[in-house]
Amino acid sequence: MMTNPNETELISEPARQLKVAGKYDVIVAGGGLAGVAAAVAAARAGVSVCLIEKAFALGGLATLGQVTVWLPLCDGFGRQVTAGLSEEMLKLSVADLSSDNSTARFIGIPPTWLPGGDVEERKKNRYLTRFNPTSYMLALEKWMLDAGVKLIYDTRLCGLHHSDDKITHVIIENKGGRMALQCTALIDATGDADMCFLAGEPTESLDGNVLAGWFYSLRENGLNLHAMTKAYSKDGSRNDKGAPFFRGDDPDQITAQLVGSRQMALDKIASLRDNRPDEDVQVFNVPQLPCFRMTRRLDAPFAMADSHRHQWFEDTVGIISDWRKAGPIFPVPMRSIMAPNHRNLMAVGRCMSADTSVWDVTRCFPGCCVSGEVAGIAAALAVRETHGDVHDLPVEKVQARVRETGGLLDPKLMEPASEYQAVA
């Protein structure tokens, strides 16, 4: 019997009732750095928090993806612009590092950024670290559990249950079957805006991701990090050097990107063995998830853009710098993390609302942790004061809490380097 390849065969799945397996004030989907920051910030504010993660470890690209550079908290001209949980998590990344290891690229906090460090030297050395992904994975897990967050691994986000303009339940599936979790506020930290997509919120997807996979080899000189990647465009578009290209919301392309990236590692190992025939060169570890840069994000009425650099908005709740070059400083407005159609849903990290001109900045660790922290703070406040509605929450209360907990939130920090250096 001939079938039309353009026709999709359908089957019916019987309707069923789902057990409500838990009730939480805040549910966070995704255990990357943004999700961990969101969960800890909310839990420290005194509400009940559950984080669901499909893998078996926290940290996302930082740990399972082995992208082991905690990018700068400073502007490149000697001034720190990001603190709070971002700084706490940066310090945690190298907390057990007794000495630097150049081949493995485990490098601690630059001495100039330690208490009493040379302020002038800070203009030459940015505030960043390079960490051991395995030790960081273990540290993040303990750190988050110590904050009182309920953690559920091996769990897929499958759907959402709505009531008017709020989400009341998250539908999940794991070894225990299909079930629901009740919540008052939600934070999408999936990296791919999965929760926003399932909620029917507007999203944007990119197909310009390239092969990338940082991995380690074990050689006579010890552990070596290889930061493998094809050429990519900072705006997420396709270029003439990086092919093949991949979408992050297509299962076949996700698989192809991961397999292709691992092949790059195999090719690199083969080359090392050819060049060092008398040395035993072994693959030590490869990424356990696809290393995408920009996949799918919330497309809210307001999106952060490069044109917003050095601007202070009335709803600014965080500040981040540009990891790629010294100088640019960006605000993180509350509007950029709030879903427009569901008043208790926020999106953080790689899937917050930021257009392609600045997505390459917001997707990285400082941006992830800043947006995650402020979302966790806002969620906790909204649970207590507005029945989870973050749109009705006075932004001044979020800003006050950010400052109380060590965040840097001052309009003067948005000034370009030339202006504050002239004043200094």
Side-chain angles (χ1 to χ4, degrees):
M1 175 179 169
M2 297 291 291
T3 59
N4 185 344
N6 295 321
E7 292 181 355
T8 300
E9 184 179 357
L10 301 175
I11 64 170
S12 296
E13 184 177 17
R16 52 179 163 171
Q17 293 184 316
L18 300 180
K19 175 182 69 174
V20 177
K23 298 181 181 181
Y24 302 93
D25 294 321
V26 178
I27 290 180
V28 180
L33 295 189
V36 171
V40 169
R44 286 183 177 178
V47 298
S48 61
V49 184
C50 177
L51 184 144
I52 59 173
E53 166 56 43
K54 63 184 179 182
F56 291 87
L58 299 177
L61 284 173
T63 57
L64 294 173
Q66 299 179 165
V67 180
T68 56
V69 183
W70 229 109
L71 292 167
L73 304 182
C74 65
D75 66 350
F77 288 100
R79 184 174 62 162
Q80 184 175 350
V81 297
T82 303
L85 283 188
S86 295
E87 186 169 28
E88 190 174 344
M89 294 171 75
L90 176 146
K91 291 178 178 179
L92 183 66
S93 73
V94 290
D96 68 344
L97 186 64
S98 59
S99 62
D100 293 347
N101 183 324
S102 59
T103 59
R105 299 191 205 176
F106 302 158
I107 311 293
I109 297 170
T112 186
W113 286 99
L114 295 173
D118 189 322
V119 176
E120 285 301 312
E121 285 296 312
R122 292 180 180 181
K123 297 176 181 179
K124 305 174 186 177
N125 299 278
R126 298 194 74 171
Y127 188 0
L128 55 80
T129 61
R130 300 176 184 271
F131 54 86
N132 177 338
T134 303
S135 64
Y136 195 30
M137 174 189 72
L138 297 173
L140 284 170
E141 185 176 86
K142 183 179 186 304
W143 185 69
M144 195 183 78
L145 292 174
D146 285 348
V149 177
K150 168 67 175 180
L151 171 62
I152 311 178
Y153 282 138
D154 190 25
T155 297
R156 281 277 184 178
L157 173 66
C158 300
L160 302 166
H161 187 75
H162 308 251
S163 177
D164 298 325
D165 55 2
K166 288 184 180 179
I167 298 165
T168 60
H169 295 79
V170 173
I171 300 171
I172 61 172
E173 192 157 6
N174 53 31
K175 294 292 186 181
R178 197 173 181 93
M179 63 195 76
L181 301 175
Q182 185 176 323
C183 57
T184 303
L186 307 90
I187 300 173
D188 185 341
T190 60
D192 306 312
D194 292 337
M195 188 174 276
C196 291
F197 176 75
L198 290 172
E201 293 288 351
T203 59
E204 177 189 11
S205 297
L206 296 185
D207 62 357
N209 291 280
V210 299
L211 295 175
W214 294 22
F215 77 99
Y216 291 92
S217 66
L218 191 60
R219 294 157 50 188
E220 290 179 358
N221 65 345
L223 201 61
N224 289 255
L225 176 66
H226 305 277
M228 304 291 293
T229 182
K230 294 286 188 180
Y232 74 97
S233 300
K234 65 180 182 180
D235 63 359
S237 63
R238 296 185 175 206
N239 57 42
D240 57 358
K241 298 178 181 178
F245 300 99
F246 306 90
R247 295 180 65 94
D249 58 358
D250 180 286
D252 290 331
Q253 293 192 34
I254 292 170
T255 302
Q257 194 275 349
L258 186 58
V259 171
S261 298
R262 288 174 175 170
Q263 184 60 51
M264 281 204 311
L266 291 173
D267 293 342
K268 178 66 176 179
I269 289 296
S271 175
L272 289 171
R273 287 171 175 167
D274 288 342
N275 293 329
R276 298 169 174 81
D278 297 327
E279 185 178 351
D280 183 20
V281 179
Q282 294 292 327
V283 176
F284 186 77
N285 205 3
V286 295
Q288 302 303 303
L289 49 72
C291 294
F292 285 119
R293 288 181 171 85
M294 293 168 260
T295 55
R296 182 170 59 199
R297 57 98 177 173
L298 173 67
D299 188 13
F302 177 90
M304 283 180 60
D306 186 70
S307 60
H308 297 139
R309 65 170 66 185
H310 304 299
Q311 292 188 42
W312 176 266
F313 297 108
E314 290 301 313
D315 66 336
T316 296
V317 287
I319 300 173
I320 57 176
S321 62
D322 193 330
W323 64 272
R324 303 165 300 183
K325 59 183 178 181
I329 305 166
F330 296 95
V332 178
M334 193 67 195
R335 289 167 290 170
S336 65
I337 66 173
M338 295 192 303
N341 300 318
H342 295 84
R343 301 179 69 87
N344 60 341
L345 172 62
M346 290 173 281
V348 299
R350 197 170 72 191
C351 51
M352 65 183 288
S353 185
D355 74 17
T356 55
S357 69
V358 77
W359 199 342
D360 197 34
V361 175
T362 58
R363 71 176 177 85
C364 291
F365 298 164
C368 287
C369 291
V370 166
S371 59
E373 179 180 10
V374 298
I377 287 171
L381 289 170
V383 165
R384 289 201 177 100
E385 301 185 15
T386 60
H387 304 288
D389 189 332
V390 293
H391 291 253
D392 279 351
L393 183 68
V395 72
E396 295 82 7
K397 294 194 174 184
V398 180
Q399 293 168 329
R401 176 67 180 175
V402 169
R403 294 186 178 104
E404 288 170 5
T405 54
L408 296 177
L409 203 57
D410 185 338
K412 292 182 179 178
L413 288 174
M414 299 305 301
E415 295 175 356
S418 59
E419 294 185 17
Y420 72 75
Q421 285 180 337
V423 173

